[in-house]
Structures are given as structure tokens and as C-alpha cells.
Amino acid sequence: MQQPQKKYRVGVEVTLDVIGGKWKSVILYHLVEGKKRFNELRRLIPNISHKMLTQQLRELERDGIVLRRDYEEVPPKVEYELSEYGGGLIGVLDFFCHWGEAHLDRVYGDKSLMLEENFGGSGAEEGSE
Amino acid sequence: MQQPQKKYRVGVEVTLDVIGGKWKSVILYHLVEGKKRFNELRRLIPNISHKMLTQQLRELERDGIVLRRDYEEVPPKVEYELSEYGGGLIGVLDFFCHWGEAHLDRVYGDKSLMLEENFGGSGAEEGSE
DNA sequence: CTGCATCCCCGATGATACTG
DNA sequence: CAGTATCATCGGGGATGCAG
């Protein structure tokens, strides 16, 4: 979805470009729960790199899916949230989550075996607010 | 979705692995219309390479999304179609198509400018049948 | 804390050739 | 016509460093 010159043959391709990246929908999935700060998202998606998160957020922002609010303070504080337009994708994200779990269940018989355990259960929360 | 060892954090990731590839959903989109032969799909998706189509179809088949029927004749004749299980994705595929077109409209004001024109209009059809 | 640029590697993808 | 294998390439994405 970078260059307006890009041509598509079917609407499906467009949608995949917007939310189909390796991380896009995972980011959106977490934003459905509410506003999230940059590092908050990094903790929620431990496998994503700093660079990727920035990049994907930029694209989602450019496409109008998420809103970026910069509090312009020091230290920097930025929050990301689903835009109203992006809210139209919640239904699909929910379906994805549900379908994916059911698929694991169908294929392996026990989805719980496939989902990684929680990573930050050690109470490393920071109450900077 | 190759190795059963792969771990996921959220169902969303699973779904994206199954239908989120660059071509998966486009292939499925065309299969919604009905059975399609291999080269028929190649014509419908002119930008996909022979190898990619084969590979993606194999994965979709392995995941139970599409059914492969080999007529075992010469010349070879193979048809692909959406499985009953894969049919559960039609709703999403339809949504993707619709949402994608609306998105182009929203972003550029005229989606028709973005969709490539049909590719085989030069009458180069071969009536081998 | 958040963001941007650079370098670099590896895997995804395409081109080609060969088989049934 | 359909499938497989091999090789070359391109770009996605990770690691790192610097800036505000």
C-alpha cells in the first residue's frame, strides 16, 4: 500500500496489504483492547523487533486504521489506538482469533499445546503513569 | 504452518499463516466461484509463478482448505476446489473483497483507477478444448 | 521513551529445466 | 497439462547505532 501506482486485481489483495502483513493483524488485535503505548506493544508482541513495530504502525497509521497520539513530553509518550475506521475490522480480527484457535484444535487436537505461555508473568509492570 | 512445532501467541497468527500469504486468499477467492484447473488459476492470477501456485495450493490442501482431484489421465487434468471446511472462510473472503474495494475508494476516491484491466482481452484465447 | 537510518543476512519468490 | 527440483535474486526483517 505504499505507492498509489500499485495495481490490484481484486479487492482481496488490497485488504491483505493493509492488514495481512506478518504483524499487522496481531498489532490490531491488541489495540482492540484499547490504547497502547509503544513499549507496551513490544511487550505484548515479544517476537516483533523495534524496527518492525515502528514500520507497521506507520503503515497502519497512514492507512487510517490506527491513530497516533504524541503527548510531546519528555520522556516521549506516544499512544496508539484503533481509529473509528479501523474499528470496522474488529469483527474480522475476532473471527481470525476464533478461527485460528479452532483450526489448531482441528489439526492437532489440542490448541493449548501450540500457544506459547505468557511471557511477562513475573510482575515486571511499570507504573509510570 | 509447516512444522507442528511452531508456537503461536494468538489465534490471529494461525489464521494469517493459513490464508494470509501473499497469494493464499486470492487463490481461495477464485475457488469460491467453483472448481478450477491448475492453468485456469494461472490465468486468473497472471502475476503468480508456476512454482508459487503449486506451493500455495499444496499448503492449502494440507491445511484442509482445498480439495485436489487428480483425474489421472493424459494429458493430466487436476481440479481444485474449496473443501467444506474451507467454505467457512467464504464470508471472510467476501468481506476482504468488499472492504478492499471500499478502502481504495476511501483512499483514492475512485477504486476503478486502481484495479488492473483484464489481461487477456486481446483474443489470444486457445480453444484447445 | 520513541523514532529513524544503516548494514547485512536469510528466506521467500521467480526463472528455468526436466519428468510423467 | 501438471508437478518437482535447482539455482539466482530480491527484499523483508533483524541488529545496531544515533537523535530528539
Short mmCIF file of all heavy atoms in Angstrom, two decimals, chain D residues 6-19:
data_model
loop_
_atom_site.label_atom_id
_atom_site.label_comp_id
_atom_site.label_asym_id
_atom_site.label_seq_id
_atom_site.Cartn_x
_atom_site.Cartn_y
_atom_site.Cartn_z
P DT D 6 17.21 -30.97 -6.09
OP1 DT D 6 18.19 -32.05 -5.97
OP2 DT D 6 16.55 -30.44 -4.88
"O5'" DT D 6 17.87 -29.76 -6.88
"C5'" DT D 6 18.10 -29.88 -8.28
"C4'" DT D 6 18.56 -28.55 -8.85
"O4'" DT D 6 17.40 -27.75 -9.18
"C3'" DT D 6 19.40 -27.71 -7.89
"O3'" DT D 6 20.58 -27.26 -8.55
"C2'" DT D 6 18.50 -26.53 -7.52
"C1'" DT D 6 17.63 -26.42 -8.76
N1 DT D 6 16.31 -25.80 -8.53
C2 DT D 6 15.89 -24.82 -9.38
O2 DT D 6 16.53 -24.44 -10.34
N3 DT D 6 14.65 -24.30 -9.09
C4 DT D 6 13.82 -24.66 -8.03
O4 DT D 6 12.74 -24.13 -7.88
C5 DT D 6 14.35 -25.69 -7.17
C7 DT D 6 13.54 -26.14 -6.00
C6 DT D 6 15.55 -26.20 -7.45
P DC D 7 21.76 -26.64 -7.71
OP1 DC D 7 23.03 -27.24 -8.12
OP2 DC D 7 21.38 -26.61 -6.28
"O5'" DC D 7 21.71 -25.13 -8.25
"C5'" DC D 7 21.69 -24.89 -9.66
"C4'" DC D 7 21.33 -23.44 -9.92
"O4'" DC D 7 19.93 -23.23 -9.66
"C3'" DC D 7 22.09 -22.45 -9.04
"O3'" DC D 7 22.64 -21.41 -9.84
"C2'" DC D 7 21.04 -21.93 -8.07
"C1'" DC D 7 19.76 -22.07 -8.89
N1 DC D 7 18.53 -22.23 -8.06
C2 DC D 7 17.40 -21.44 -8.34
O2 DC D 7 17.45 -20.64 -9.26
N3 DC D 7 16.30 -21.60 -7.58
C4 DC D 7 16.29 -22.49 -6.59
N4 DC D 7 15.17 -22.62 -5.87
C5 DC D 7 17.42 -23.30 -6.30
C6 DC D 7 18.52 -23.14 -7.05
P DA D 8 23.53 -20.30 -9.21
OP1 DA D 8 24.69 -20.11 -10.07
OP2 DA D 8 23.69 -20.57 -7.76
"O5'" DA D 8 22.57 -19.03 -9.36
"C5'" DA D 8 22.01 -18.72 -10.64
"C4'" DA D 8 21.17 -17.45 -10.54
"O4'" DA D 8 19.96 -17.75 -9.82
"C3'" DA D 8 21.85 -16.30 -9.79
"O3'" DA D 8 21.54 -15.07 -10.43
"C2'" DA D 8 21.26 -16.40 -8.39
"C1'" DA D 8 19.86 -16.95 -8.66
N9 DA D 8 19.36 -17.80 -7.58
C8 DA D 8 20.02 -18.82 -6.95
N7 DA D 8 19.31 -19.42 -6.03
C5 DA D 8 18.08 -18.76 -6.06
C6 DA D 8 16.90 -18.92 -5.33
N6 DA D 8 16.75 -19.85 -4.38
N1 DA D 8 15.87 -18.09 -5.60
C2 DA D 8 16.03 -17.17 -6.56
N3 DA D 8 17.10 -16.93 -7.32
C4 DA D 8 18.10 -17.76 -7.02
P DT D 9 22.14 -13.76 -9.84
OP1 DT D 9 22.52 -12.92 -10.99
OP2 DT D 9 23.12 -14.11 -8.79
"O5'" DT D 9 20.86 -13.13 -9.16
"C5'" DT D 9 19.65 -13.03 -9.91
"C4'" DT D 9 18.52 -12.58 -9.00
"O4'" DT D 9 18.23 -13.61 -8.03
"C3'" DT D 9 18.84 -11.32 -8.19
"O3'" DT D 9 17.81 -10.40 -8.43
"C2'" DT D 9 18.83 -11.79 -6.75
"C1'" DT D 9 17.91 -12.98 -6.82
N1 DT D 9 18.09 -14.00 -5.76
C2 DT D 9 17.02 -14.31 -4.96
O2 DT D 9 15.94 -13.79 -5.07
N3 DT D 9 17.28 -15.28 -4.03
C4 DT D 9 18.47 -15.94 -3.82
O4 DT D 9 18.58 -16.79 -2.95
C5 DT D 9 19.56 -15.56 -4.69
C7 DT D 9 20.90 -16.22 -4.56
C6 DT D 9 19.32 -14.62 -5.62
P DC D 10 18.09 -8.84 -8.46
OP1 DC D 10 17.99 -8.36 -9.85
OP2 DC D 10 19.30 -8.53 -7.67
"O5'" DC D 10 16.80 -8.31 -7.69
"C5'" DC D 10 15.58 -9.06 -7.76
"C4'" DC D 10 14.91 -9.04 -6.42
"O4'" DC D 10 15.41 -10.09 -5.58
"C3'" DC D 10 15.12 -7.73 -5.66
"O3'" DC D 10 13.89 -7.08 -5.49
"C2'" DC D 10 15.75 -8.15 -4.32
"C1'" DC D 10 15.45 -9.64 -4.25
N1 DC D 10 16.48 -10.45 -3.56
C2 DC D 10 16.11 -11.41 -2.61
O2 DC D 10 14.91 -11.55 -2.35
N3 DC D 10 17.06 -12.15 -2.01
C4 DC D 10 18.34 -11.96 -2.32
N4 DC D 10 19.24 -12.73 -1.70
C5 DC D 10 18.75 -10.99 -3.27
C6 DC D 10 17.80 -10.26 -3.87
P DG D 11 13.89 -5.61 -4.86
OP1 DG D 11 12.99 -4.78 -5.68
OP2 DG D 11 15.27 -5.15 -4.57
"O5'" DG D 11 13.15 -5.92 -3.49
"C5'" DG D 11 12.13 -6.90 -3.44
"C4'" DG D 11 11.93 -7.37 -2.01
"O4'" DG D 11 13.06 -8.17 -1.60
"C3'" DG D 11 11.82 -6.25 -0.99
"O3'" DG D 11 10.88 -6.64 0.00
"C2'" DG D 11 13.22 -6.17 -0.41
"C1'" DG D 11 13.60 -7.63 -0.40
N9 DG D 11 15.03 -7.91 -0.42
C8 DG D 11 16.00 -7.23 -1.10
N7 DG D 11 17.20 -7.73 -0.94
C5 DG D 11 17.00 -8.81 -0.08
C6 DG D 11 17.92 -9.74 0.44
O6 DG D 11 19.14 -9.81 0.26
N1 DG D 11 17.29 -10.68 1.25
C2 DG D 11 15.94 -10.71 1.52
N2 DG D 11 15.52 -11.68 2.33
N3 DG D 11 15.07 -9.85 1.02
C4 DG D 11 15.67 -8.92 0.24
P DG D 12 10.14 -5.59 0.87
OP1 DG D 12 8.87 -5.20 0.23
OP2 DG D 12 11.11 -4.56 1.24
"O5'" DG D 12 9.78 -6.47 2.16
"C5'" DG D 12 9.30 -7.80 1.98
"C4'" DG D 12 9.74 -8.66 3.14
"O4'" DG D 12 11.17 -8.87 3.11
"C3'" DG D 12 9.44 -8.08 4.50
"O3'" DG D 12 9.08 -9.14 5.37
"C2'" DG D 12 10.75 -7.43 4.93
"C1'" DG D 12 11.78 -8.35 4.29
N9 DG D 12 13.02 -7.71 3.86
C8 DG D 12 13.14 -6.54 3.15
N7 DG D 12 14.38 -6.23 2.88
C5 DG D 12 15.12 -7.26 3.45
C6 DG D 12 16.52 -7.48 3.48
O6 DG D 12 17.41 -6.79 2.99
N1 DG D 12 16.85 -8.65 4.17
C2 DG D 12 15.94 -9.49 4.75
N2 DG D 12 16.43 -10.56 5.37
N3 DG D 12 14.62 -9.31 4.72
C4 DG D 12 14.29 -8.17 4.06
P DG D 13 8.36 -8.85 6.74
OP1 DG D 13 7.53 -10.01 7.08
OP2 DG D 13 7.79 -7.50 6.67
"O5'" DG D 13 9.59 -8.82 7.77
"C5'" DG D 13 10.33 -10.01 7.92
"C4'" DG D 13 11.64 -9.71 8.61
"O4'" DG D 13 12.52 -8.97 7.75
"C3'" DG D 13 11.50 -8.86 9.89
"O3'" DG D 13 12.25 -9.48 10.90
"C2'" DG D 13 12.12 -7.53 9.51
"C1'" DG D 13 13.18 -8.01 8.55
N9 DG D 13 13.76 -6.99 7.69
C8 DG D 13 13.12 -5.93 7.10
N7 DG D 13 13.92 -5.17 6.39
C5 DG D 13 15.16 -5.77 6.53
C6 DG D 13 16.41 -5.42 6.00
O6 DG D 13 16.69 -4.47 5.27
N1 DG D 13 17.41 -6.31 6.39
C2 DG D 13 17.22 -7.41 7.19
N2 DG D 13 18.30 -8.15 7.45
N3 DG D 13 16.05 -7.75 7.69
C4 DG D 13 15.07 -6.90 7.32
P DG D 14 11.88 -9.20 12.45
OP1 DG D 14 10.96 -10.27 12.86
OP2 DG D 14 11.51 -7.78 12.60
"O5'" DG D 14 13.29 -9.43 13.16
"C5'" DG D 14 14.07 -10.56 12.79
"C4'" DG D 14 15.54 -10.26 12.99
"O4'" DG D 14 16.03 -9.41 11.91
"C3'" DG D 14 15.86 -9.51 14.29
"O3'" DG D 14 16.97 -10.12 14.94
"C2'" DG D 14 16.19 -8.10 13.85
"C1'" DG D 14 16.74 -8.32 12.44
N9 DG D 14 16.53 -7.19 11.55
C8 DG D 14 15.33 -6.61 11.22
N7 DG D 14 15.45 -5.61 10.40
C5 DG D 14 16.81 -5.50 10.17
C6 DG D 14 17.54 -4.61 9.37
O6 DG D 14 17.12 -3.68 8.67
N1 DG D 14 18.91 -4.86 9.42
C2 DG D 14 19.49 -5.85 10.16
N2 DG D 14 20.82 -5.94 10.09
N3 DG D 14 18.82 -6.71 10.92
C4 DG D 14 17.48 -6.47 10.88
P DA D 15 17.39 -9.61 16.41
OP1 DA D 15 17.79 -10.79 17.17
OP2 DA D 15 16.34 -8.71 16.93
"O5'" DA D 15 18.68 -8.71 16.11
"C5'" DA D 15 19.72 -9.24 15.29
"C4'" DA D 15 20.89 -8.26 15.24
"O4'" DA D 15 20.64 -7.24 14.24
"C3'" DA D 15 21.13 -7.52 16.56
"O3'" DA D 15 22.53 -7.47 16.83
"C2'" DA D 15 20.56 -6.12 16.32
"C1'" DA D 15 20.72 -5.96 14.81
N9 DA D 15 19.66 -5.14 14.20
C8 DA D 15 18.33 -5.21 14.43
N7 DA D 15 17.62 -4.36 13.73
C5 DA D 15 18.55 -3.67 12.99
C6 DA D 15 18.44 -2.64 12.04
N6 DA D 15 17.28 -2.11 11.67
N1 DA D 15 19.57 -2.18 11.48
C2 DA D 15 20.75 -2.73 11.85
N3 DA D 15 20.98 -3.70 12.73
C4 DA D 15 19.82 -4.14 13.27
P DT D 16 23.00 -6.81 18.24
OP1 DT D 16 24.20 -7.54 18.64
OP2 DT D 16 21.85 -6.69 19.16
"O5'" DT D 16 23.42 -5.34 17.78
"C5'" DT D 16 24.17 -5.15 16.57
"C4'" DT D 16 24.21 -3.68 16.21
"O4'" DT D 16 22.98 -3.29 15.58
"C3'" DT D 16 24.40 -2.74 17.39
"O3'" DT D 16 25.68 -2.12 17.31
"C2'" DT D 16 23.28 -1.69 17.25
"C1'" DT D 16 22.80 -1.92 15.83
N1 DT D 16 21.36 -1.61 15.61
C2 DT D 16 21.03 -0.68 14.66
O2 DT D 16 21.85 -0.10 13.98
N3 DT D 16 19.68 -0.45 14.52
C4 DT D 16 18.67 -1.04 15.24
O4 DT D 16 17.50 -0.77 15.03
C5 DT D 16 19.09 -2.01 16.23
C7 DT D 16 18.08 -2.71 17.06
C6 DT D 16 20.41 -2.24 16.36
P DG D 17 26.15 -1.12 18.52
OP1 DG D 17 27.61 -1.34 18.67
OP2 DG D 17 25.25 -1.26 19.68
"O5'" DG D 17 25.93 0.31 17.87
"C5'" DG D 17 26.30 0.53 16.51
"C4'" DG D 17 25.85 1.91 16.06
"O4'" DG D 17 24.43 1.87 15.72
"C3'" DG D 17 26.00 3.00 17.12
"O3'" DG D 17 26.52 4.19 16.53
"C2'" DG D 17 24.58 3.23 17.63
"C1'" DG D 17 23.76 2.92 16.38
N9 DG D 17 22.40 2.49 16.65
C8 DG D 17 21.99 1.51 17.53
N7 DG D 17 20.70 1.34 17.56
C5 DG D 17 20.22 2.27 16.65
C6 DG D 17 18.89 2.56 16.25
O6 DG D 17 17.85 2.03 16.65
N1 DG D 17 18.84 3.58 15.29
C2 DG D 17 19.95 4.23 14.79
N2 DG D 17 19.72 5.18 13.88
N3 DG D 17 21.20 3.96 15.15
C4 DG D 17 21.25 2.98 16.08
P DC D 18 26.98 5.42 17.51
OP1 DC D 18 28.31 5.85 17.04
OP2 DC D 18 26.78 5.03 18.93
"O5'" DC D 18 25.93 6.56 17.16
"C5'" DC D 18 25.75 6.94 15.79
"C4'" DC D 18 24.49 7.78 15.63
"O4'" DC D 18 23.34 6.95 15.89
"C3'" DC D 18 24.41 8.95 16.63
"O3'" DC D 18 24.12 10.14 15.91
"C2'" DC D 18 23.27 8.56 17.56
"C1'" DC D 18 22.42 7.68 16.67
N1 DC D 18 21.57 6.72 17.40
C2 DC D 18 20.20 6.70 17.16
O2 DC D 18 19.72 7.49 16.34
N3 DC D 18 19.42 5.81 17.85
C4 DC D 18 19.97 4.97 18.72
N4 DC D 18 19.17 4.11 19.36
C5 DC D 18 21.37 4.97 18.98
C6 DC D 18 22.13 5.85 18.30
P DA D 19 23.96 11.53 16.73
OP1 DA D 19 24.55 12.60 15.88
OP2 DA D 19 24.41 11.35 18.12
"O5'" DA D 19 22.39 11.72 16.72
"C5'" DA D 19 21.70 11.85 15.47
"C4'" DA D 19 20.25 12.26 15.72
"O4'" DA D 19 19.55 11.14 16.32
"C3'" DA D 19 20.09 13.44 16.69
"O3'" DA D 19 19.04 14.26 16.24
"C2'" DA D 19 19.72 12.75 18.00
"C1'" DA D 19 18.91 11.57 17.50
N9 DA D 19 18.88 10.43 18.41
C8 DA D 19 19.94 9.80 19.00
N7 DA D 19 19.60 8.79 19.77
C5 DA D 19 18.21 8.75 19.67
C6 DA D 19 17.24 7.92 20.24
N6 DA D 19 17.53 6.91 21.07
N1 DA D 19 15.95 8.16 19.94
C2 DA D 19 15.66 9.17 19.12
N3 DA D 19 16.49 10.02 18.52
C4 DA D 19 17.75 9.76 18.84
#
